[in-house]
Amino acid sequence: MDVAPYLSGQLLLSMPGMADPRFERVVIAMCVHDAESALGLIVNKVRDDIDVRSLLEQLDVDPGIAPAVPVFAGGPVEPGRGFVLHSPEYEGQSTLSVGGRWALTATLDILRDIAAGKGPKRWLIALGYAGWGPGQLDEEMTRHGWFAVPGTPELLFDAPMESRWPSAFAGAGIDVGLLSASAGHA
């Protein structure tokens, strides 16, 4: 029996020539992928209209010691919905562990903990997400558009944002300068 190769805990990279401009040169941290759906957060595009401290204030959360770092544009679906992608040592009441590599939490509790200095060691906050329906991502993976690589916390939390896309490809031994914007046929 064939088992579906689910992508939770991996990075989904858009290929050059991606037809949808919303996903041009993106790195998506895949958090959920099964037969029913897929959900990931774009981790290399930020919103220029808000930072973390401003977001906390809008949510009536005292920003405390939270830094004024950018908020990521997590994807085009529900752009007002917030998510915290973080290191796995932090566990809140609704934290989803993603293969032991990172975790995802979408409650106000984690924001309060971050502001109080009691949150995860490493984190990023995103508004919106990239989502797919049943079988949609699996079908898209058969066409030119996406490439999956193992996810690493170092790339998510430590790499400069502008280098995440080429660095993720380089980690798989691929020079992005050699990639073509169109699919070939053998």
Side-chain angles (χ1 to χ4, degrees):
M1 170 163 43
D2 289 334
V3 176
Y6 295 123
L7 300 174
S8 297
Q10 295 190 44
L11 300 176
L12 193 59
L13 311 175
S14 63
M15 296 291 289
M18 167 63 76
D20 188 335
R22 298 173 300 174
F23 295 109
E24 185 177 341
R25 296 177 58 102
V26 299
V27 176
I28 300 175
M30 292 303 299
C31 297
V32 176
H33 184 210
D34 57 29
E36 300 304 315
S37 65
L39 179 144
L41 299 178
I42 296 172
V43 296
N44 67 327
K45 304 271 184 194
V46 295
R47 293 179 53 138
D48 57 6
D49 61 336
I50 193 165
D51 66 21
V52 168
R53 289 185 68 82
S54 300
L55 176 65
L56 293 173
E57 288 170 355
Q58 286 182 20
L59 296 170
D60 292 325
V61 173
D62 178 356
I65 65 164
V69 295
V71 170
F72 285 79
V77 182
E78 295 188 60
R81 185 172 176 192
F83 298 89
V84 180
L85 190 68
H86 57 89
S87 49
E89 86 288 342
Y90 178 92
E91 290 186 39
Q93 59 183 326
S94 64
T95 297
L96 172 67
S97 175
V98 183
R101 293 182 173 147
W102 57 78
L104 181 70
T105 305
T107 62
L108 284 175
D109 292 338
I110 191 170
L111 297 177
R112 289 184 190 105
D113 286 347
I114 288 170
K118 300 184 298 185
K121 292 177 186 166
R122 299 191 298 182
W123 53 269
L124 61 85
I125 295 175
L127 293 175
Y129 65 94
W132 296 263
Q136 183 182 2
L137 180 57
D138 305 299
E139 197 276 324
E140 287 184 19
M141 291 297 293
T142 67
R143 299 183 311 224
H144 181 77
W146 296 111
F147 185 75
V149 298
T152 67
E154 293 75 25
L155 191 110
L156 289 180
F157 303 114
D158 300 334
M161 189 189 60
E162 62 280 354
S163 72
R164 290 178 184 174
W165 187 76
S167 294
F169 274 111
I174 298 169
D175 178 349
V176 294
L178 301 176
L179 292 175
S180 173
S182 59
H185 300 283

